[in-house]
Amino acid sequence: MSRFMDRLKERVLILDGGMGTALMEYDLDLEKDFLGLENCSEILCDSRPDVVKDIHRSFYEAGSDAVETNTFGSNKLVLAEFDLTERTRELNRIATEQAREVADEFATDDWPRFVVGSMGPGTKLPSLAHIDYDTLEDSYAEQARGLIDGGVDVFLTETSQDPLQIKAAINGIRLAQREAGVDLPIISQVTIETVGTMLVGTEIQAAATILDAMDVDMMGMNCATGPAEMSEHVKWLGENWPKPFSVLPNAGLPMLVDGKTTYPLQPAEMADWVARFVEEDGVNLIGGCCGTTPEHMKALRDKIGFQAPKDRGDVKLEPALASLYNQVPFRQENAVMAIGERTNANGSKRFRELLNEEDWNGITRVAKDQVKEGSHTLDVCTAYVGRDEVRDMTEVISRFRGDVTIPLVIDSTETPVIETALKLYGGKALINSINFEEGEEKAATVLGYAKKYGAGVIALTIDEDGMAKEVDDKMRIARRLYDFAVNQHGLPAHDLMYDPLTFTVCTGNEEDRKHAINTLDAIEAIANEMPEVQIVLGLSNISFGLKPAARQVLNSVMLHHAQRRGLTAAIMHSSAILPKHKIDEEEYKVAEDLLFDRREEGYDPLHKFIELFKDKEAKGGPEKKKPETIEEVLKERIVDGDRDGIEEDLDKAMEKYEPLEIVNQHLLGGMKVVGELFGAGEMQLPFVLQAAETMKAAVAHLEQFMEKKEGEEKGTMVLATVKGDVHDIGKNLVDIILTNNGYNVVNIGIKQPCEAIIEAAEENNADVIGMSGLLVKSTVIMKDNLEEMRGRDIKTPVLLGGAALTRNFVEQDCSEAYGDGVVEYAKDAFAGLQLMDRLTGNAQPEQEEAE
């Protein structure tokens, strides 16, 4: 461990403020001082070392523990714009030596001072195809060489706007360190814009997942915003990032005053904010970015003194993959991680045809369709005889990385293809796959890529003797894979995803009858013995040889049992999986008999299963007897996600009921069944979403017949689905019911961060804030939001609603989190209306008595 990291454990360290802001205080001449190189601050290390050292000195005098080298733009690509490429290493060395000289002036045994090597984002973003990965990595490697030459203590990649750029910088640093035989810490700071993401659209959760896979020593945030706008993200890092982290805000959001950019946050006000980050969120390294001065750093030192960092306890980052945009946890709530299989040339005829036609737009549509169907990741394989796999993979990944919002699984048997894909992808991918069929050399190469580019790995239970079919063989190879990947090559256990292999049970051969049993037993054994790892199946293998209708049922039944035994992921066509309630009881029983080899004299489940499907085509489920009453028809439509022609049934129901009665008494009854099936693990998320879309269509049709109450609006609610949650049917129902009862509803949509909710509430002078979410993790986010609002001294009443909420959690935990503010539990949309009436003073006397 370095001296810097050791010191960081003992006390919160203060970095310096803005170099650019400090330089503006000097009357520097373009020709004399900048040598005619406008905006090239780095040349001042050569032309005006006195100015650079004076700035470093001013920050040390203010109480900073460390300063950044004047090398923000000193990589080869940026310096090329000034014809200084050949001086990259030299300028970085000189800059570091200058900072080192001043640091040594101030350093004592009790108070060491450090030099941090600043490495900015450059001017080209690889995820937007401005620059290729190899050129970028080489540029950063040369910069790192100079920083090492000068005696830097720690590297800082800062103001990063693209995860792929960060990967190139980190790997460039590591290359230079290997050459020099040193091992210095790496800090990676991302810039989250006012919209709540990095410039290319990356959320803080995805950025953390990617940086964790890159094994940086610290992550943090700097630039773009002031501390107020950072607060929600800082809180998330404090609760989820397991290593030290840093925060270097601007002195507020920039303002243009008399044609000059100014930053409004004064030293004392900024110190109050940053001290809160230290005391409440456990930040380890603080400082400032644009607009911050030595006075800001002195105010920080006066405010926090020399305190030790807060003990954040056992913080763990949720194991996950990430696209360029979003984090996707390996362990899905009440579901397996669905890996879409239709962008694989080996398994999809349509994909092969599009690939051969080079219809890249068509290929992208196939990917997007799988996202809509509920896939969590996409398996991408471009291996096709007669075609250039590297070229095709480059074309596909270059499109998918920006157009597909879910993570990718890079699927190839060729290591050059795998590395090509990883060099294009800024997210955290999954590599498919490694095994020991050809020994360990190839597996070692792939694991090296996983560590270098930050990826997980699928591992098949195959060794030099072939594919394991018996449980003991599967487990023997699984243990060997674990030792090889985790212990020998340093892959985190949670990034190792086993495929214990399954084979068809449909040949009729005696040796094939136990394949499903062996696979399920192996899944359970792996889950018990190695609980941190993930487990995946290529689901359709189990039914190979059957008709499509029979395969659909057998695959669905196999998935149901595998999930209960410990399966965490499946390569499958999500829309071709049936939930248990949609499978005919006899078909389900015979499928189980086939999987578990329950043969009896005179009864072979394989023969019986084939007979059941001899005249059937694959559909959305068995034919059901249509309900006799319109009430049951509507309920069943919601459960089955059947929206075709629903308007006619709704019109028929309105002959008997008012529109709001239909919603409240019949449609919501169907959604309640959906919730119960989802909670029991008997309905996959795609079917929940289908039900929600049907509900949405029904309510949209009924809304036009709902009579909005006339008169002045009775109050305003700002309504949102919380961050990380895409479910909006409950929220939209609240919107409709409140709007039709005289309220103004500002519905700001799904996945809304706390800051957006607060801003909307303030802009619209909200009487009440409504937060909604379906997932269990959404309840935690609601509580976090309330704590953040309490810290901002907001006291607007809040209504919370969602399937995973309980009255006890809201009235105890959430109420405590909000302090003096009012928090209420709305068990459904109509309860929300009653609460809204009460909170705005519009409740009728009989309502008050009833409550």
Side-chain angles (χ1 to χ4, degrees):
M1 186 65 69
S2 72
R3 283 196 316 144
F4 180 84
M5 296 304 292
D6 286 340
R7 186 70 169 176
L8 204 65
K9 291 179 181 178
E10 298 170 3
R11 65 173 56 167
V12 176
L13 300 185
I14 298 178
L15 198 47
D16 56 3
M19 173 63 75
T21 302
L23 286 172
M24 290 173 64
E25 298 301 313
Y26 290 79
D27 185 20
L28 297 173
D29 181 77
L30 174 60
E31 296 300 327
K32 179 182 175 183
D33 299 313
F34 285 93
L35 307 183
L37 305 174
E38 189 172 4
N39 295 323
C40 184
S41 301
E42 292 73 20
I43 199 65
L44 294 171
C45 294
D46 191 29
S47 62
R48 291 298 304 271
D50 57 316
V51 170
V52 176
K53 287 191 282 188
D54 279 349
I55 292 171
H56 291 328
R57 194 171 285 111
S58 69
F59 283 114
Y60 279 127
E61 288 172 344
S64 292
D65 295 283
V67 300
E68 295 183 41
T69 55
N70 182 31
T71 55
F72 184 78
S74 273
N75 64 63
K76 288 172 69 173
L77 294 175
V78 175
L79 291 178
E81 298 172 14
F82 305 102
D83 293 326
L84 294 172
T85 304
E86 298 303 317
R87 297 192 66 190
T88 299
R89 185 166 182 168
E90 176 197 2
L91 288 174
N92 279 278
R93 175 183 58 77
I94 292 170
T96 309
E97 288 173 343
Q98 290 166 0
R100 179 89 274 154
E101 178 186 334
V102 181
D104 291 344
E105 290 177 19
F106 286 84
T108 67
D109 290 340
D110 294 332
W111 193 353
R113 306 296 177 104
F114 300 100
V115 175
V116 177
S118 171
M119 305 175 81
T123 55
K124 296 178 172 65
L125 302 181
S127 289
L128 300 184
H130 296 161
I131 190 73
D132 68 275
Y133 175 90
D134 287 331
T135 302
L136 195 56
E137 182 185 294
D138 173 69
S139 176
Y140 281 114
E142 184 72 352
Q143 180 176 15
R145 292 182 185 105
L147 294 170
I148 292 170
D149 292 343
V152 76
D153 293 303
V154 59
F155 295 96
L156 172 63
T157 69
E158 60 175 326
T159 323
S160 298
Q161 299 157 335
D162 177 355
L164 190 54
Q165 170 259 318
I166 303 175
K167 291 184 181 186
I170 292 169
N171 285 326
I173 292 168
R174 287 180 174 151
L175 174 60
Q177 294 211 71
R178 286 194 299 273
E179 293 172 353
V182 299
D183 185 15
L184 302 173
I186 299 174
I187 306 170
S188 288
Q189 288 182 165
V190 299
T191 292
I192 303 294
E193 306 289 336
T194 53
V195 295
T197 67
M198 295 170 67
L199 187 63
V200 297
T202 312
E203 296 178 345
I204 190 69
Q205 296 90 336
T209 296
I210 294 163
L211 288 173
D212 180 62
M214 294 300 295
D215 203 21
V216 296
D217 297 278
M218 292 178 64
M219 82 166 288
M221 298 171 57
N222 78 294
C223 207
T225 70
E229 295 76 22
M230 287 184 174
S231 60
E232 182 180 356
H233 310 299
V234 174
K235 181 178 178 61
W236 187 90
L237 288 172
E239 293 175 348
N240 294 277
W241 177 255
K243 298 177 182 178
F245 70 111
S246 60
V247 179
L248 279 69
N250 290 346
L253 292 173
M255 303 167 58
L256 199 63
V257 179
D258 298 329
K260 182 180 178 182
T261 300
T262 61
Y263 292 84
L265 216 55
Q266 296 303 304
E269 189 178 1
M270 181 170 172
D272 286 342
W273 263 107
V274 178
R276 173 186 158 189
F277 294 157
V278 171
E279 293 159 7
E280 296 181 9
D281 303 308
V283 175
N284 305 83
L285 177 66
I286 56 176
C289 203
C290 303
T292 58
T293 65
E295 288 73 27
H296 286 86
M297 297 308 105
K298 184 178 186 305
L300 278 180
R301 176 58 73 194
D302 292 343
K303 186 74 176 180
I304 73 161
F306 296 92
Q307 65 182 280
K310 175 186 176 182
D311 182 1
R312 292 189 284 134
D314 186 23
V315 176
K316 292 183 179 179
L317 185 67
E318 184 174 24
L321 297 176
S323 67
L324 192 61
Y325 307 111
N326 306 314
Q327 174 204 67
V328 176
F330 280 119
R331 305 290 175 98
Q332 292 291 312
E333 197 170 308
N334 298 327
V336 295
M337 173 185 273
I339 302 175
E341 63 182 354
R342 289 192 290 133
T343 45
N344 185 323
N346 289 323
S348 170
K349 179 182 177 184
R350 177 60 178 153
F351 186 78
R352 286 196 301 273
E353 291 172 346
L354 292 169
L355 197 63
N356 207 39
E357 295 165 6
E358 299 194 0
D359 184 352
W360 310 116
N361 290 332
I363 284 173
T364 302
R365 283 194 296 273
V366 170
K368 289 183 175 181
D369 285 345
Q370 290 181 92
V371 176
K372 292 176 183 177
E373 291 168 3
S375 294
H376 300 108
T377 63
L378 294 185
D379 187 81
V380 182
C381 177
T382 60
Y384 190 17
V385 176
R387 293 191 59 83
D388 184 336
E389 188 180 354
V390 169
R391 175 182 174 272
D392 286 344
M393 183 64 83
T394 298
E395 292 285 352
V396 172
I397 299 298
S398 296
R399 288 163 172 79
F400 281 12
R401 66 184 177 185
D403 290 343
V404 178
T405 57
I406 59 178
L408 303 181
V409 179
I410 308 302
D411 189 345
S412 179
T413 59
E414 303 299 320
T415 53
V417 176
I418 294 171
E419 185 169 29
T420 295
L422 294 173
K423 285 181 178 180
L424 292 165
Y425 196 57
K428 178 183 175 184
L430 188 61
I431 301 172
N432 190 6
S433 58
I434 63 168
N435 61 69
F436 294 136
E437 184 177 15
E438 301 174 14
E440 296 184 350
E441 184 178 353
K442 185 176 179 181
T445 299
V446 173
L447 287 167
Y449 294 157
K451 288 294 292 179
K452 179 175 180 179
Y453 299 105
V457 176
I458 295 176
L460 310 181
T461 52
I462 303 173
D463 68 3
E464 295 85 349
D465 295 326
M467 295 183 284
K469 295 184 177 180
E470 302 300 321
V471 177
D472 288 346
D473 290 331
K474 292 177 188 289
M475 291 305 299
R476 174 178 52 79
I477 300 173
R479 294 184 187 104
R480 179 183 170 191
L481 283 163
Y482 187 96
D483 180 67
F484 189 75
V486 178
N487 298 331
Q488 296 181 42
H489 287 86
L491 188 77
H494 59 250
D495 285 342
L496 181 62
M497 181 178 283
Y498 283 110
D499 184 346
L501 304 179
T502 194
F503 308 93
T504 182
V505 292
C506 305
T507 65
N509 297 329
E510 188 62 33
E511 61 268 24
D512 295 335
R513 294 285 189 163
K514 302 293 184 184
H515 285 326
I517 297 172
N518 290 341
T519 298
L520 292 171
D521 287 348
I523 289 170
E524 186 170 8
I526 292 170
N528 289 334
E529 186 174 322
M530 295 169 266
E532 288 183 74
V533 305
Q534 318 305 325
I535 309 172
V536 66
L537 277 185
L539 195 63
S540 60
N541 290 340
I542 196 69
S543 62
F544 186 76
L546 296 178
K547 291 180 60 175
R551 296 193 73 178
Q552 184 177 31
V553 170
L554 193 62
N555 292 348
S556 301
V557 176
M558 181 67 176
L559 176 63
H560 179 72
H561 283 281
Q563 184 180 346
R564 289 177 177 270
R565 300 286 282 273
L567 191 76
T568 64
I571 300 174
M572 63 185 188
H573 185 172
S574 295
S575 64
I577 295 297
L578 296 171
K580 185 178 179 181
H581 79 279
K582 274 198 171 186
I583 301 174
D584 177 85
E585 288 185 14
E586 183 181 18
E587 293 173 0
Y588 195 94
K589 178 189 178 300
V590 178
E592 284 189 322
D593 290 346
L594 175 55
L595 292 173
F596 292 101
D597 192 25
R598 295 169 181 159
R599 283 176 287 172
E600 298 175 0
E601 187 174 348
Y603 173 61
D604 186 330
L606 174 58
H607 298 158
K608 178 64 175 177
F609 196 68
I610 292 171
E611 181 186 338
L612 285 173
F613 289 92
K614 65 181 181 181
D615 298 320
K616 289 190 178 181
E617 299 296 328
K619 295 182 180 178
E623 294 294 329
K624 290 185 180 179
K625 182 180 177 183
K626 190 169 182 180
E628 295 180 0
T629 67
I630 190 62
E631 295 85 353
E632 285 299 316
V633 167
L634 292 176
K635 180 178 176 181
E636 187 172 289
R637 274 186 173 276
I638 298 298
V639 175
D640 289 344
D642 178 14
R643 57 186 292 183
D644 292 338
I646 195 172
E647 294 82 2
E648 295 177 10
D649 288 335
L650 291 168
D651 291 342
K652 184 177 179 181
M654 279 191 287
E655 296 173 5
K656 189 175 180 181
Y657 302 102
E658 291 296 320
L660 279 176
E661 284 184 282
I662 295 170
V663 173
N664 191 27
Q665 294 178 19
H666 309 299
L667 299 179
L668 281 179
M671 287 303 296
K672 183 172 184 283
V673 173
V674 170
E676 290 169 352
L677 291 170
F678 180 62
E682 295 181 3
M683 180 180 277
Q684 294 287 327
L685 187 58
F687 301 106
V688 177
L689 298 179
Q690 287 176 21
E693 288 299 318
T694 303
M695 181 76 175
K696 190 184 299 184
V699 172
H701 180 72
L702 293 171
E703 185 180 11
Q704 61 187 310
F705 303 107
M706 295 180 189
E707 184 179 348
K708 184 173 179 179
K709 296 193 175 179
E710 299 296 330
E712 204 171 303
E713 286 174 342
K714 299 191 293 186
T716 297
M717 171 185 275
V718 164
L719 187 59
T721 302
V722 297
K723 181 176 65 178
D725 199 322
V726 299
H727 301 93
D728 64 357
I729 185 63
K731 170 179 63 65
N732 292 343
L733 189 56
V734 171
D735 183 350
I736 291 166
I737 290 172
L738 290 182
T739 300
N740 283 279
N741 279 274
Y743 289 100
N744 173 39
V745 177
V746 181
N747 187 339
I748 62 174
I750 61 174
K751 296 174 63 177
Q752 292 298 315
C754 187
E755 186 66 33
I757 296 171
I758 293 172
E759 286 181 6
E762 291 174 345
E763 289 174 7
N764 294 279
N765 196 25
D767 299 290
V768 175
I769 293 171
M771 289 190 282
S772 174
L774 175 71
L775 305 175
V776 171
K777 67 180 181 181
S778 299
T779 65
V780 178
I781 292 171
M782 290 176 189
K783 182 172 175 285
D784 290 345
N785 287 354
L786 292 167
E787 289 175 351
E788 174 65 21
M789 291 161 65
R790 178 185 182 182
R792 302 274 285 272
D793 200 30
I794 294 168
K795 292 186 171 61
T796 306
V798 176
L799 297 187
L800 302 180
L805 282 171
T806 64
R807 184 176 296 279
N808 185 61
F809 177 77
V810 173
E811 294 180 350
Q812 291 189 20
D813 299 65
C814 294
S815 182
E816 181 181 343
Y818 204 31
D820 296 333
V822 175
V823 184
E824 297 281 2
Y825 170 58
K827 65 181 178 64
D828 56 36
F830 293 91
L833 173 60
Q834 293 177 343
L835 289 166
M836 190 70 177
D837 284 341
R838 178 161 61 79
L839 291 170
T840 56
N842 290 303
Q844 299 300 315
E846 58 270 21
Q847 272 185 273
E848 298 282 4
E849 290 175 14
E851 292 179 8

